[in-house]
Amino acid sequence: MKIAVVGATGLVGTVMLKVLEERNFPLTELIPVASEKSVGKEISFKGKKYAVVNMDTAISMRPDIALFSAGGGTSLKEAPRFAEVGTTVIDNSSAWRMDPTKKLVVPEVNANVLSKEDKIIANPNCSTIQMVVALKPLHDKYKIKRVVVSTYQSVTGTGVKAVEQLMNERKGITDGPMAYAYPIDLNVIPQIDVFTENGYTKEEMKMILETQKIMGDNSIRVTATTVRIPVMGGHSESVNIEFERDFNLADVTELLTNTEGVIVVDDPANLKYPMPMDAHEKDEVFVGRIRRDESLPNTLNMWIVADNLRKGAATNAVQIAEYLVKKELV
């Protein structure tokens, strides 16, 4: 089992390697891939050193699976080249997500859509992944009509430059690299990605369209406001869900407690609720603040938190790879 990690030296690629190691993924050969400037650098994996190679070398090695985290432009150009030699690509960029010929997968929700013919598989947006993991069991039981989501997203979702900006601002350094148009420390920026013609950002539109595709139900109406906040560790979401059928709060909590990949932390009397600092470096989705919306019938409020670099990116991709191996689809 040869596994290539494309973008191995980047923020998500580094976490992908960590998750592969932690989960003891059954690989026999690792192929770290990065841009030409990183070729020859060594990375450590399970106590061994591996030299970073370029795209052409990696393709010639015909890996079984390639985990991509190298940006949309690279994915559009290079993923088909890997697919042509028989490699199954799991891509973390937005390049293929809304392509009707490509599957968009969160293993706990819709891994069953995958087949041997799927050579390019899309990994969803980080904020969408954590939300649909919690929504799926509720949709199955109560049928979701509408979702209103506001996000509170970590700077790690932007990349290394954003982390540097936040840390520099914390130290009072004002002339360092800027990932955002404004300071992020002691601030909140209600823009993630660029604005589209309808006034929503691309990140907001991703959450709307990806949710429908992953859940396999275009009747679910979604509206989103995505916000960058000065935290590390993970993304948080305030989610308001209107169902067709009424629910019992205790049943909702039990349903979520028994859902694979979900940990319920909901004890207001003892000030227990999910926070990014608790989700950091964890693979699960944490849910709390579960309560009825008293302004509308059949409507629920929840607070959802997950590590955006792990479940929101690297872990989800590795879980897709694990499913492919388990079901002998590669």
Side-chain angles (χ1 to χ4, degrees), residues 40-330:
K41 280 185 185 174
E42 287 193 331
I43 61 133
S44 293
F45 182 82
K46 286 193 171 181
K48 284 179 69 178
K49 299 280 189 188
Y50 293 85
V52 172
V53 301
N54 66 16
M55 212 69 74
D56 290 342
T57 302
I59 292 166
S60 72
M61 295 170 79
R62 295 176 178 260
D64 298 285
I65 296 171
L67 301 174
F68 262 66
S69 187
T74 301
S75 295
L76 285 172
K77 182 184 172 192
E78 305 293 352
R81 295 180 64 215
F82 275 90
E84 278 171 19
V85 300
T87 301
T88 300
V89 173
I90 302 167
D91 180 46
N92 195 55
S93 80
S94 60
W96 304 98
R97 290 175 190 159
M98 295 315 298
D99 184 325
T101 67
K102 304 292 183 286
K103 308 289 173 58
L104 183 65
V105 175
V106 177
E108 297 92 335
V109 178
N110 66 334
N112 60 306
V113 301
L114 292 171
S115 70
K116 278 189 176 180
E117 284 66 52
D118 295 309
K119 288 301 175 190
I120 299 176
I121 301 162
N123 205 40
N125 183 43
C126 47
S127 46
T128 306
I129 289 173
Q130 67 188 69
M131 185 170 76
V132 297
V133 168
L135 291 185
K136 180 63 164 68
L138 302 177
H139 182 55
D140 289 346
K141 184 158 186 182
Y142 305 112
K143 188 149 184 23
I144 295 171
K145 288 171 66 176
R146 181 170 185 255
V147 177
V148 181
V149 55
S150 298
T151 71
Y152 307 75
Q153 294 182 222
S154 163
V155 293
T156 57
T158 307
V160 174
K161 192 175 177 182
V163 175
E164 286 177 5
Q165 180 182 334
L166 174 60
M167 291 305 151
N168 282 339
E169 289 171 359
R170 290 262 156 114
K171 295 170 188 167
I173 300 169
T174 55
D175 58 351
M178 293 280 286
Y180 305 115
Y182 300 99
I184 185 64
D185 191 30
L186 300 177
N187 194 25
V188 163
I189 302 174
Q191 176 194 353
I192 297 179
D193 213 326
V194 297
F195 284 99
T196 60
E197 285 184 6
N198 64 0
Y200 286 76
T201 65
K202 271 192 175 179
E203 182 87 354
E204 290 158 355
M205 293 310 299
K206 285 174 194 173
M207 291 196 77
I208 293 163
L209 298 171
E210 290 178 23
T211 297
Q212 293 174 335
K213 183 171 179 178
I214 297 161
M215 302 280 277
D217 190 340
N218 287 337
S219 74
I220 300 172
R221 290 171 295 160
V222 182
T223 188
T225 303
T226 58
V227 181
R228 191 70 68 190
I229 65 170
V231 301
M232 310 276 279
H235 294 346
S236 305
E237 299 172 347
S238 171
V239 186
N240 179 270
I241 313 142
E242 182 183 356
F243 299 106
E244 283 192 2
R245 297 185 277 278
D246 198 11
F247 56 85
N248 177 284
L249 270 182
D251 291 343
V252 166
T253 301
E254 184 180 5
L255 197 57
L256 290 167
T257 300
N258 294 325
T259 296
E260 180 193 354
V262 171
I263 294 177
V264 174
V265 183
D266 193 27
D267 183 7
N270 291 300
L271 310 185
K272 300 288 186 188
Y273 31 70
M275 294 181 290
M277 65 195 327
D278 303 318
H280 185 47
E281 298 196 338
K282 307 269 193 354
D283 290 331
E284 296 82 10
V285 172
F286 296 81
V287 181
R289 299 298 317 280
I290 302 166
R291 63 210 188 277
R292 190 177 285 277
D293 178 346
E294 296 183 350
S295 70
L296 274 176
N298 306 348
T299 305
L300 183 77
N301 282 308
M302 296 195 307
W303 178 251
I304 302 171
V305 179
D307 186 321
N308 55 294
L309 295 181
R310 289 186 67 107
K311 183 53 185 169
T315 301
N316 199 76
V318 172
Q319 286 174 317
I320 293 171
E322 288 172 343
Y323 182 88
L324 294 173
V325 171
K326 181 182 175 186
K327 298 293 183 180
E328 299 181 352
L329 301 178
V330 289

